[in-house]
Amino acid sequence: MNKEKIRDKITKLKKEKNAAILAHNYQIGEVQDVADYIGDSLGLSQKAAQVEAKVIVFCGVHFMAETAKILAPEKTILIPDERAGCPMADMITASELREWKKNYPGSKAVCYVNTTAEVKAECDICCTSSNAVKVVNSLNADEILFAPDKNLAAYVARHTKKKIIPWDGYCYVHRYIKDRDIKDKRNLYPEAEVWVHPECLPEVIDLADKVLSTGKMVQEARKTKKKEIIIGTETGIIYRMKKENPTKNFYPARDVAFCFNMKKIGLGKVLTSLENMIHKVEVSLEVSQKARGSIERMIEI
Ligand code: 13P
Ligand code: SF4
């Protein structure tokens, strides 16, 4: 079947099944093009709760679809490839978090949205890359356990007086963007500004002009007067930035910064997902209610 036919079938099935397609900023271009909404991890989950559609095809990684299910429990949430996980989210389990907390009485545990529902259920509050500093500063504790991303934890530690105790997790995609890559690209494009994601290594953050979540990068790309920007995050986001801002140039800080899990989803799988109503994302009621508390406490802030 050619791409046009697949797109037509997807459009027809969306109507028939009262479905909406949500895609993360890192998805491949053809998936972004059939999406009703494109966004960052938390924004998409909130969108899942707001849209009228009863079925959500979530084109992203598993923790994001799970967060959508927690915020929209009455809806059917489908992920087109059930193997699309986030290795960083799997770097801490709920029992590891429980054990860790026992060693730090009086502390508060903050978990990045890139965690499983079980981990969210065990922490005091959730955060995203755009509000992590605000969330940490809002807590009435001097010691903060921060999981799982040690690089985001190091970034937060620069902007708070609280003691941040990091878990030893990281994102392999951002870890492979090196300070050398930034220096090389700056030499190549001396007029360009450098924007990086806070999951990047501290020495990369040191070289950046701006440190932004994917959602903030997209907003900033529309606002900036700069014509050239070096982007230190997964390269899928450049498709959207270029499409929305055709007169500006976005260069990847590292050409091969691919999240292979994000790329497991393609147009064919979106169609199969809608046709067969697979793969349904489920979260138990008990875990869902507790995890929702952590997410809602963050949203209040
Ligand atoms: P955002 O919340 O900024 O979309 O980031 C999610 C992610 O997985 C970054 O690697
Ligand atoms: Fe997880 Fe990194 Fe992929 Fe984001 S880019 S989904 S943190 S592996």
Side-chain angles (χ1 to χ4, degrees):
M1 210 188 306
N2 68 33
K3 296 264 165 81
E4 211 178 313
K5 225 169 174 181
I6 299 181
R7 275 192 290 270
D8 288 348
K9 278 193 149 202
I10 290 174
T11 310
K12 203 163 151 258
L13 277 169
K14 267 200 323 186
K15 273 203 194 107
E16 268 173 40
K17 306 215 171 186
N18 189 11
I21 299 175
L22 271 53
H24 187 264
N25 291 317
Y26 295 162
Q27 288 290 297
I28 59 171
E30 61 187 36
V31 171
Q32 293 194 23
D33 288 342
V34 294
D36 298 288
Y37 302 97
I38 312 168
D40 63 12
S41 46
L42 183 76
L44 286 178
S45 306
Q46 289 176 299
K47 202 79 202 172
Q50 288 158 8
V51 293
E52 278 181 13
K54 293 278 172 275
V55 176
I56 307 290
V57 182
F58 203 108
C59 302
V61 289
H62 196 263
F63 79 82
M64 298 177 184
E66 218 178 37
T67 312
K69 183 70 188 170
I70 293 165
L71 295 179
E74 71 294 348
K75 294 191 181 167
T76 302
I77 310 288
L78 305 174
I79 186 161
D81 189 321
E82 58 188 346
R83 296 163 311 150
C86 167
M88 177 162 72
D90 295 330
M91 285 178 184
I92 186 163
T93 63
S95 62
E96 284 172 331
L97 177 55
R98 270 194 300 273
E99 286 307 307
W100 195 32
K101 281 189 340 189
K102 279 183 197 161
N103 297 328
Y104 297 93
S107 68
K108 295 269 186 210
V110 177
C111 70
Y112 189 23
V113 68
N114 296 42
T115 44
T116 61
E118 285 80 7
V119 168
K120 287 186 181 76
E122 289 296 330
C123 71
D124 293 293
I125 190 163
C126 213
C127 77
T128 71
S129 51
S130 57
N131 63 22
V133 173
K134 219 170 169 184
V135 165
V136 163
N137 283 334
S138 75
L139 298 172
N140 63 344
D142 295 327
E143 270 191 344
I144 307 293
L145 302 179
F146 195 98
D149 187 7
K150 63 178 168 190
N151 294 317
L152 180 58
Y155 175 71
V156 172
R158 294 177 184 208
H159 299 278
T160 183
K161 291 194 170 70
K162 296 182 192 292
K163 184 175 177 201
I164 304 291
I165 302 160
W167 189 255
D168 191 21
Y170 61 88
C171 163
Y172 73 96
V173 182
H174 291 88
R175 190 170 78 159
Y176 286 115
I177 300 172
K178 303 290 185 198
D179 45 350
R180 184 75 257 158
D181 295 317
I182 306 289
K183 286 176 191 157
D184 287 350
K185 285 284 156 88
R186 271 211 200 268
N187 281 336
L188 216 50
Y189 308 109
E191 298 298 316
E193 217 165 53
V194 174
W195 302 353
V196 306
H197 196 277
E199 287 176 18
C200 286
L201 294 165
E203 58 269 30
V204 168
I205 303 257
D206 285 341
L207 297 176
D209 297 303
K210 289 180 181 155
V211 182
L212 303 165
S213 67
T214 67
K216 289 267 169 67
M217 277 189 196
V218 169
Q219 285 172 19
E220 198 60 27
R222 293 179 196 139
K223 281 195 273 172
T224 185
K225 296 266 181 300
K226 285 270 170 191
K227 290 285 176 211
E228 295 189 301
I229 302 114
I230 295 162
I231 300 294
T233 192
E234 213 275 351
T235 53
I237 197 171
I238 291 178
Y239 177 82
R240 180 177 181 189
M241 288 170 150
K242 189 68 197 161
K243 193 172 166 184
E244 293 182 356
N245 309 277
T247 61
K248 297 174 187 171
N249 286 318
F250 304 93
Y251 310 112
R254 189 179 176 92
D255 300 331
V256 288
F258 286 131
C259 174
F260 293 101
N261 296 285
M262 285 281 179
K263 307 306 193 226
K264 282 181 178 148
I265 296 170
L267 265 194
K269 284 186 190 165
V270 174
L271 176 59
T272 316
S273 178
L274 268 170
E275 276 175 336
N276 303 322
M277 295 297 278
I278 54 172
H279 303 272
K280 288 198 175 90
V281 176
E282 302 292 353
V283 184
S284 77
L285 191 64
E286 193 197 341
V287 169
S288 179
Q289 280 173 349
K290 283 171 79 182
R292 193 182 172 113
S294 297
I295 299 168
E296 282 176 350
R297 284 192 283 282
M298 163 186 75
I299 291 170
E300 274 166 32
I301 290 164

